[in-house]
Amino acid sequence: MQKIQDIRHSFAHILALSVKELYPDARFGTGPDIENGFYYDIKTKNPVTNDDLKRIEKKMREVLKRNVSFKKKLVAKAEAKKIFKDQPFKLEILKDLEGDKVSVYETDNFIDLCKGPHVDSTEELNPDAFKLEKIAGAYFKGDEKNSMLTRIYGLAFATKKELDDYLKLKEEAEKRDHRVLGEKLGIFMFDDEVGSGLPLWLAKGTLLRNIIKDYLYRELISDGYDFVETPHIGKLSLWQTSGHWENYRENIYSPIDIEDEKFLLKPMNCPFHVKIFKHKQRSYRELPLKMAEFGTVYRFERSGTLHGLTRVRGFTQDDAHVWCREDQLKTELAKLLKQGLKILKKFGFKEYSIYLSTRPEKYVGTDQGWEKATATLEQVLKDAKLEYNIDPGGGVFYGPKIDIKVKDTLGREWQCTTIQVDFNLPDRFQMSFINDKGEKERPYMIHRALYGSLERFIGVLIEHYAGAFPFWLSPVQIKILPVSDKFNKYAREIKEELKEYRAEVAEEKETISKKIREGEMEKIPYLLIVGEKEKKAKTISVRKRGKGDLGAMKIKKFKEIINKE
Amino acid sequence: MQKIQDIRHSFAHILALSVKELYPDARFGTGPDIENGFYYDIKTKNPVTNDDLKRIEKKMREVLKRNVSFKKKLVAKAEAKKIFKDQPFKLEILKDLEGDKVSVYETDNFIDLCKGPHVDSTEELNPDAFKLEKIAGAYFKGDEKNSMLTRIYGLAFATKKELDDYLKLKEEAEKRDHRVLGEKLGIFMFDDEVGSGLPLWLAKGTLLRNIIKDYLYRELISDGYDFVETPHIGKLSLWQTSGHWENYRENIYSPIDIEDEKFLLKPMNCPFHVKIFKHKQRSYRELPLKMAEFGTVYRFERSGTLHGLTRVRGFTQDDAHVWCREDQLKTELAKLLKQGLKILKKFGFKEYSIYLSTRPEKYVGTDQGWEKATATLEQVLKDAKLEYNIDPGGGVFYGPKIDIKVKDTLGREWQCTTIQVDFNLPDRFQMSFINDKGEKERPYMIHRALYGSLERFIGVLIEHYAGAFPFWLSPVQIKILPVSDKFNKYAREIKEELKEYRAEVAEEKETISKKIREGEMEKIPYLLIVGEKEKKAKTISVRKRGKGDLGAMKIKKFKEIINKE
């Protein structure tokens, strides 16, 4: 059986061949396989639009029926120049190729400059398992100084079922798109004049953030963590000492000059926490010393890679550092792993994959140190009887790590929890504690984030729940809907009785059916309708999200229901 | 009676005269009066040190007894050059003076280039009402390219009592210095490698911040405010539109370049809040729209002016904006004023001064707009029957304001609450709402901060309470001190019973007297001692801060006491 990449790549050639038949003047850029499909960049006198996709698709099916083969040939460069004399982009690509000979693929009357591999013939391509998807503009070689080409995207799979499944998943994912829901539910917004990748949190989003932060805050305070708060800028030299400047600079923003010194918008919190550790001489009695912060960090991402809340330029980590003695390391790591899994479960993620990431290409520290730390992490996973994958070279420059990726309702994986062993920063910052023999000793350092980034975590939560958050997590848990103005006062009394919950009264001058519709659109767990009947009987009529009418009841009864949530 | 400034300025000359007699080679810079006293910058071959101050003071008293007069003369510049031929700094100053003639003052055998005024003779200077204070280095004309001179500082008042009162206040203020207490109580720290003016909040400080923020958060949520959270950077153009870039640039840090666009570390939150207001069409039904954020802003201050938490380079404002219709303006301002005073009272500030600040030199908007807004603010103060002072020209560039300065225990004034009317930003950002006639209308905008800056507010609170915070505000309210290890378990049980409070157990291996001493140093409101006797009787022995031993009691009884706090 053919590799799916070869199938997709071959579809790209069939696309080009079909475009050539429909648009004889077409000039071709490149056409690779990509995730779920393929694309081809082309230039035609009459630009191809989305309206033309059906026609091109039809032509492709026609071509597939012809039973065409993919023939590879090695030709001299001079020969290739002749073949592609009418294809300026191909000639351009040809210039960059090394060696005397290049490979070309011939498919019917279309010949392409291409390394391959491909399927042998169109018999291996299922005409029901592909679909042209959309059109976009793309600069040749991705450089805006070059011509703008039209990129035609296609989806392609081995079987029709796979294509159908993918389309269904995509449709479902679009319905859950956190960028759309986040705006609709009043959670966050972006604004071009503020800047790309910089979310502004609206009232309900800020509430949601606070609920999520509060939950972890309480967990960590009762677990003996110290919460700290550190600045958003600091001297560049801090990150030179930590090694981030050398190993991570491409993600750090340009320095700010203050009185002839360079300051960075903080790309990570660690050096500040180290400074707090170091501000007094620590004793072994203080270890494990656990320090946490909801620390907002800023990291450069190209504007093309930004995506809603899941890839931003500034985000808040639920960051923490644990310093401990060598003999405490395994126990502390095991606790952190357990805590991470507990928290993900609390937020409704039942499935996850665990990755153990080993030494990357750019790293600091000794091989021995790396081996020992990696072995400790692996032992912790084994002791907990957890399945895990190895991610070779996926570690941070200062040490190996365990990552937990959660699976959302649609089965997509999202990086959340990370637990990283670091035996390098303590060295670089010359950290020490006085051990039980009265001598100075270097502590071990663990970096960990459970949610990861609050922004991404909330983005994932929105999609996971399609905006219908569980009761405890809903920014507004209860909305009280007076049937008319006359019952606003009674509605406010009900709100007062429910003051330990997040309840709102809908006092707008709207019909009750519009109020119900709006409450449902806002995905509020409980809507309480109050009118003449309810006021008289001192009851409320309860509608539960996804369940509908629960009937009229006393507040006490309603509280019993929601206390079970 | 002489003005105190003239007295202080005259003391400066007496200082110079005395130095000249003791150090005949002395070269003089300038010697003005300052707050609480005076200084003179001098250069001598043998540098004057702090050890010499007593001797100089003695000489000054000798001079004062001589009954010397201060004689003013107008002399031609050429004549002045001759007089000061041996005084290079005076010649330097002379160059910068305009006009043909200059004034000099003669006091005994000292003659100074000086505009005056002065007292007539030393008879008007009380020899018991001055004191030389300290020595510092100072560049001539404040320019580091010039010579370094020795600055001798002196205190001077009209009467001995005033001097004594000042010295007493200073001693008391030093004991309360938040920079010392803040470190000792584990509230915050600074670190040279992090950067000047950038506090790092330690565990207890972060707790204190959270208590202070939580209190206001609850107040504002129940008052219908929307809390939002906005980024720490944004495009430069936002503050160009707001006018801050033009009118406030000296306090804004240099821009950061991101993909060829300039971003600022936010100097203020307003443009973000405006963006949130504008992200949908607002209706008059939504007004007053109240938006709050604990927003951290960064503003440049020269390193020389930084001071602990009270003058920093990054601070968190309890920022809020209220948008309303013109006819709602007065009511909203009155509510904000009331809320401001309520909150200051909650934090133990009983005295305050109110200032109404009018149009500054740099401003935007029309004269008519300024007059109307200022009149509205003044009317609000009059309606509330509050005394106030006018601060002419003290307004912000976009509008007039009311400031409240609290008086701390030592009678010092601190700027906290500010309420600012703004009829300009809504114009500049083209804000609108749909009024009840279905037309677009420009809203009014109020900027307000009640604490002001959380950093300064906490600095002031530490000094106001000398670190002994009231019960509700104490990061640790209760500390349970087991007499020995044996009672750690019982201590933890007590902590569990007090879990609605912020309680700690002192499990260190220390004697009980050391534990008590430490608890007192940490200024914890209640210390609970538990040993054999208490464990058996299921009681605790209570020590109240500032009161001492309250005896043994049951937890229930103790809860009754603290619930009255």
Side-chain angles (χ1 to χ4, degrees), chain B residues 180-199:
Chain B
V180 179
L181 280 176
E183 172 76 32
K184 215 153 99 182
L185 298 175
I187 293 176
F188 66 92
M189 62 174 270
F190 284 97
D191 188 296
D192 282 345
E193 289 177 39
V194 169
S196 307
L198 297 170

Side-chain angles (χ1 to χ4, degrees), chain B residues 85-97:
Chain B
K85 65 182 192 316
D86 298 329
Q87 290 290 339
F89 303 117
K90 294 293 175 189
L91 290 175
E92 201 52 46
I93 297 165
L94 194 61
K95 270 191 211 161
D96 297 340
L97 295 181

Side-chain angles (χ1 to χ4, degrees), chain A residues 192 201 229 232 235 298, chain B residues 192 201 229 232 235 298 303:
Chain A
D192 283 346
W201 292 90
E229 208 170 316
H232 297 95
K235 284 192 192 170
Y298 287 83
Chain B
D192 282 345
W201 292 91
E229 208 170 315
H232 297 96
K235 285 192 191 168
Y298 287 83
S303 54

Side-chain angles (χ1 to χ4, degrees), chain A residues 322-326 329 369 372-373 421-423 426 433 442-446:
Chain A
V322 175
W323 290 276
C324 62
R325 300 188 314 251
E326 192 180 341
L329 186 62
K372 203 173 134 191
V421 178
D422 181 357
F423 45 94
F433 64 93
R442 195 76 84 212
Y444 269 76
M445 180 166 175
I446 307 170

Side-chain angles (χ1 to χ4, degrees), chain B residues 186-372:
Chain B
I187 293 176
F188 66 92
M189 62 174 270
F190 284 97
D191 188 296
D192 282 345
E193 289 177 39
V194 169
S196 307
L198 297 170
L200 283 78
W201 292 91
L202 305 176
K204 284 186 189 159
T206 305
L207 247 170
L208 188 59
R209 277 173 80 88
N210 289 345
I211 296 161
I212 294 173
K213 280 158 80 176
D214 269 7
Y215 166 71
L216 190 62
Y217 182 82
R218 279 163 215 275
E219 282 284 318
L220 296 186
I221 285 284
S222 80
D223 197 23
Y225 279 74
D226 278 349
F227 265 86
V228 300
E229 208 170 315
T230 66
H232 297 96
I233 55 170
K235 285 192 191 168
L236 167 59
S237 55
L238 285 175
W239 291 279
Q240 282 173 326
T241 305
S242 72
H244 287 104
W245 183 246
E246 194 189 334
N247 291 283
Y248 202 75
R249 195 178 323 178
E250 64 276 16
N251 289 91
I252 299 180
Y253 290 107
S254 60
I256 298 170
D257 286 308
I258 307 180
E259 286 183 345
D260 294 332
E261 280 189 296
K262 295 205 176 300
F263 284 72
L264 292 184
L265 195 55
K266 75 171 161 183
M268 46 276 302
N269 306 298
C270 337
F272 290 130
H273 291 195
V274 169
K275 282 290 176 190
I276 294 177
F277 180 99
K278 281 187 71 175
H279 101 286
K280 57 181 188 180
Q281 180 60 60
R282 303 292 179 172
S283 142
Y284 71 96
R285 290 198 192 85
E286 290 176 81
L287 305 188
L289 196 151
K290 301 186 274 189
M291 198 181 288
E293 176 173 17
F294 290 107
T296 304
V297 294
Y298 287 83
R299 297 184 188 168
F300 175 66
E301 302 279 357
R302 294 184 171 280
S303 54
T305 64
L306 298 172
H307 182 88
L309 292 179
T310 51
R311 195 175 281 253
V312 290
R313 283 182 169 164
F315 56 90
T316 303
Q317 295 180 310
D318 64 312
D319 205 0
H321 294 97
V322 176
W323 289 276
C324 63
R325 299 188 314 249
E326 193 180 340
D327 64 303
Q328 296 170 322
L329 186 62
K330 222 178 83 183
T331 314
E332 289 308 313
L333 288 169
K335 274 202 227 168
L336 288 170
L337 184 60
K338 201 176 151 194
Q339 195 174 43
L341 294 174
K342 176 185 169 187
I343 273 150
L344 296 176
K345 199 175 158 199
K346 171 81 183 172
F347 284 90
F349 297 110
K350 281 161 201 142
E351 285 183 81
Y352 44 80
S353 314
I354 301 179
Y355 296 83
L356 173 62
S357 303
T358 60
R359 198 181 64 204
E361 269 179 48
K362 270 185 170 183
Y363 70 96
V364 295
T366 63
D367 290 3
Q368 206 192 355
W370 275 89
E371 275 158 31
K372 201 171 135 193

